[in-house]
Amino acid sequence: MNKGLFISFEGGEGAGKSSVITLLTTALIEQGHKVIVTREPGGIPIAEKIREVILDREHTAMDARTEALLYAAARRQHLVEKVIPALEQGYIVICDRFIDSSLAYQGVARGLGIDEIWSINQFAIEHLMPQLTIYMDVTPEVGLARIAVAAGREINRLDLESNSFHDKVRAGYLTLCERYSDRIIKVDANVSQQDVYRNIFNIVSAFIEGK
Ligand code: TYD
């Protein structure tokens, strides 16, 4: 049995996940919690290599199913090497993206189907799901505008997708919020970073206290 807590963060491009995760982690550590922050795709060397293959802007020929399988492969390795050991040691594991990214991006936006993507991912994760998922909801207009002004941010293959792709990603996430309403909490991320953070801090603190 895992002693830790597994929390994932989700959102479209420019939702502001990484800033909120940084602030939240600092606050939780100050309160004396053991916290590990990680991200997908990546988080460990093998998965970072898979990430490079997926996100390479030259790889315009990549088939949608190949993409879905690579994300699932990176997820598997990351889970086994990093997430599960940390949970067993009692850490709060905060993961920047997890299975819901695949369900929204590959399942809905790429049109492969939520159930198909759910099923290949169950092979990868063997039903180890986050106990809590924070979905930071931002309209593609706001999110993509934030990315455009963010200095030093690398633009990857998925960032270059059309506006309609990003609209579908958001629609996908909203479907997931309804389908998995017992696990996913939706937070309005169109407002100021301070307000978004305060809201998320309260949600996560209440969740931790309830455990
Ligand atoms: P990244 O630069 O980490 O994005 P962000 O900062 O927005 O989290 O790039 C990851 C990209 O991969 C992002 O566009 C979302 C996409 N993605 C999927 O399409 N499926 C997945 O399963 C995961 C984990 C990410």
Side-chain angles (χ1 to χ4, degrees), residues 25 42 88 105 121 123 157 159 185 206:
T25 305
E88 283 172 353
Y105 282 77
N121 272 277
F123 177 72
R157 192 169 58 83
D159 294 331
I185 296 185

Side-chain angles (χ1 to χ4, degrees), residues 176-190:
L176 298 175
C177 287
E178 281 177 27
R179 201 186 269 211
Y180 305 113
S181 57
D182 50 340
R183 172 176 59 85
I184 306 181
I185 296 185
K186 180 178 136 204
V187 172
D188 181 6
N190 295 293

Side-chain angles (χ1 to χ4, degrees), residues 90-205:
Y91 279 89
I92 296 173
V93 177
I94 297 182
C95 194
D96 187 345
R97 299 192 179 281
F98 194 64
I99 186 172
D100 300 294
S101 287
S102 287
L103 300 175
Y105 282 77
Q106 283 67 51
V108 178
R110 293 275 191 235
L112 294 176
I114 292 178
D115 293 336
E116 295 280 276
I117 298 299
W118 175 267
S119 123
I120 63 154
N121 272 277
Q122 290 313 315
F123 177 72
I125 68 175
E126 297 180 282
H127 304 283
L128 201 157
M129 291 290 289
Q131 285 114 311
L132 172 68
T133 298
I134 304 286
Y135 165 57
M136 295 176 60
D137 183 49
V138 74
T139 63
E141 294 73 41
V142 171
L144 294 173
R146 280 183 190 158
I147 288 180
V149 297
R153 189 188 186 282
E154 105 197 25
I155 304 291
N156 66 47
R157 192 169 58 83
L158 274 84
D159 294 331
L160 294 174
E161 286 290 342
S162 64
N163 285 351
S164 79
F165 179 84
H166 295 291
D167 286 339
K168 284 187 214 155
V169 169
R170 180 167 184 236
Y173 273 126
L174 295 176
T175 301
L176 298 175
C177 287
E178 281 177 27
R179 201 186 269 211
Y180 305 113
S181 57
D182 50 340
R183 172 176 59 85
I184 306 181
I185 296 185
K186 180 178 136 204
V187 172
D188 181 6
N190 295 293
V191 297
S192 79
Q193 194 200 24
Q194 216 180 4
D195 287 348
V196 177
Y197 171 65
R198 196 173 308 124
N199 194 357
I200 291 175
F201 176 78
N202 290 338
I203 292 167
V204 174
S205 300

